[in-house]
Amino acid sequence: MKIVITDHRFPNVEEERRAVEAAGGTLVVGQVTDESQLITLCKDADGVLVVRAPITRKVIEKMQRCRIIVRYGIGVDNVDVRAAGEYGIMVANVPDYCIDEVSDHALTLLLMLSRQAIPAMGLAGEERWSVAKMPPLHRLRGQVCGLFGAGKIGSLLAGKVSQLGMSVLTYDPYLDEHRANETGMVKVSFDELLSRSDFISLHAPLNDQTRHVFREEAFAKMKSTAFLINTARGGLIDEAALIAAIDSGKLAGAALDVLECETAVTPLRSALVKHPKIVVTAHTAWISTEARAELQSRAISQVVACFEGKTPYGLLNHIDEA
């Protein structure tokens, strides 16, 4: 049994190695994100663990005996899940390892925007602290937090902002009314979410339906005093349109932990990071010592479960037995 880690950002993968070797297998660790190199690395793998590497249809087609692909994380937009199913390969994620961390981070970004923390820190560096230079601040209690997606992380954030006196709206086609009522959220249409929210926090997967769903048309329907927060996937937002909306006064600002391009410095990325009304953190919302340990443990345990004839708990796709 050969298990491949295509790429990772962990201090070490010794837990994975011990688990694979205890099951009688061999662990091969790469740092590969190029498609042709991935084909070579994964072609004879029985199982694959991946962080950022694109597991495309071409990569999957060359896999000779793979039974499972596990993404170190929640989103699987870098894995062709449909193609994997067609070739009888299970795809699983780790859906529950960082829900506290990401919801805390989203809340932190919301509070930074609400209290205009970046301008306040800039003012602190001046010789004379003139509060007249501060942008308008408004009491958080009574404002509306809108959630684009209300899964595990969004629902947890809903509870946290409710304790601050905010009301919570959500647009999530998969959320039933009973669950919404249990968590104190009000289900609304997408247009209502845009027009009524003071803050909109994104917690949806990236797919063909959600890519650039927050674009010029969406920003035009939002309050000019509203803020956008993204701890999900950068591709949910048309970033050039976001900058244009903020610069034209159609939107008050944004806070982003994820960008559409995080692996290279581009003019658009630089513009986002340097913008005075946009807070950017370096895709750190998921990080804690505990979350990292749980991510690695829960990912490799699903690979082992597969080879023990068990169903991985994070299984995402239908396997085409034909």
Side-chain angles (χ1 to χ4, degrees):
M1 180 174 68
K2 176 183 175 181
I3 307 301
V4 168
I5 296 177
T6 60
D7 61 305
H8 73 88
R9 296 177 291 166
F10 308 125
N12 64 72
V13 290
E14 290 311 303
E15 179 171 2
E16 290 91 332
R17 192 177 305 280
R18 287 192 297 269
V20 171
E21 291 178 353
T26 301
L27 183 70
V28 176
V29 182
Q31 291 291 6
V32 174
T33 57
D34 174 76
E35 188 177 61
S36 61
Q37 293 177 318
L38 286 166
I39 289 172
T40 301
L41 180 65
C42 299
K43 64 182 180 180
D44 59 347
D46 297 285
V48 173
L49 295 117
V50 55
V51 178
R52 289 181 178 268
I55 308 301
T56 63
R57 178 174 287 272
K58 286 184 178 180
V59 175
I60 290 167
E61 286 173 346
K62 298 297 183 181
M63 291 179 172
Q64 299 166 3
R65 62 188 202 218
C66 186
R67 292 176 57 187
I68 185 168
I69 300 166
V70 178
R71 166 107 209 297
Y72 280 115
I74 298 173
V76 289
D77 43 283
N78 60 318
V79 179
D80 192 327
V81 179
R82 178 176 295 179
E86 291 172 7
Y87 282 84
I89 302 171
M90 290 185 277
V91 178
N93 67 347
V94 186
D96 54 359
Y97 76 101
C98 64
I99 58 174
D100 280 303
E101 286 80 1
V102 178
S103 59
D104 284 348
H105 199 89
L107 177 60
T108 300
L109 296 177
L110 186 152
L111 291 171
M112 288 182 72
L113 293 171
S114 172
R115 298 306 305 164
Q116 294 286 356
I118 300 301
M121 288 187 289
L123 180 61
E126 298 184 7
E127 286 188 16
R128 298 189 65 179
W129 294 357
S130 173
V131 295
K133 294 182 179 180
M134 282 291 291
L137 298 176
H138 298 282
R139 182 176 297 161
L140 196 60
R141 182 175 296 278
Q143 293 197 59
V144 177
C145 178
L147 303 176
F148 182 74
K152 292 182 175 66
I153 295 170
S155 296
L156 198 56
L157 177 62
K160 293 174 181 179
V161 298
S162 294
Q163 293 299 310
L164 298 175
M166 301 186 76
S167 57
V168 183
L169 306 178
T170 183
Y171 171 73
D172 188 331
Y174 304 101
L175 180 69
D176 63 57
E177 293 288 350
H178 178 69
R179 175 63 179 158
N181 293 334
E182 277 187 337
T183 52
M185 296 182 281
V186 177
K187 284 191 68 175
V188 295
S189 68
F190 184 51
D191 281 354
E192 285 183 280
L193 185 83
L194 296 173
S195 64
R196 294 175 57 186
S197 299
D198 298 296
F199 299 84
I200 296 180
S201 189
L202 278 52
H203 301 283
L206 178 63
N207 53 42
D208 291 341
Q209 289 70 47
T210 60
R211 186 177 300 278
H212 286 190
V213 65
F214 283 86
R215 51 185 181 268
E216 183 180 0
E217 296 87 347
F219 299 140
K221 296 175 182 178
M222 293 175 64
K223 297 179 180 181
S224 61
T225 54
F227 296 93
L228 190 66
I229 300 163
N230 191 7
T231 55
R233 282 290 183 268
L236 297 172
I237 298 173
D238 180 334
E239 294 169 342
L242 173 66
I243 291 175
I246 294 172
D247 287 346
S248 65
K250 295 178 182 178
L251 204 62
L256 313 171
D257 184 59
V258 288
L259 302 178
E260 193 155 24
C261 180
E262 297 179 358
T263 58
V265 177
T266 65
L268 185 53
R269 172 176 156 175
S270 296
L272 290 164
V273 171
K274 296 175 182 178
H275 200 286
K277 294 184 179 181
I278 301 176
V279 179
V280 179
T281 53
H283 204 149
T284 56
W286 68 276
I287 296 176
S288 74
T289 300
E290 296 81 2
R292 193 194 304 269
E294 289 178 7
L295 175 60
Q296 291 185 254
S297 174
R298 293 176 186 180
I300 192 59
S301 69
Q302 295 191 73
V303 174
V304 173
C306 170
F307 289 96
E308 292 177 344
K310 302 173 183 176
T311 301
Y313 83 97
L315 185 65
L316 295 168
N317 63 335
H318 169 74
I319 304 303
D320 187 351
E321 300 294 345

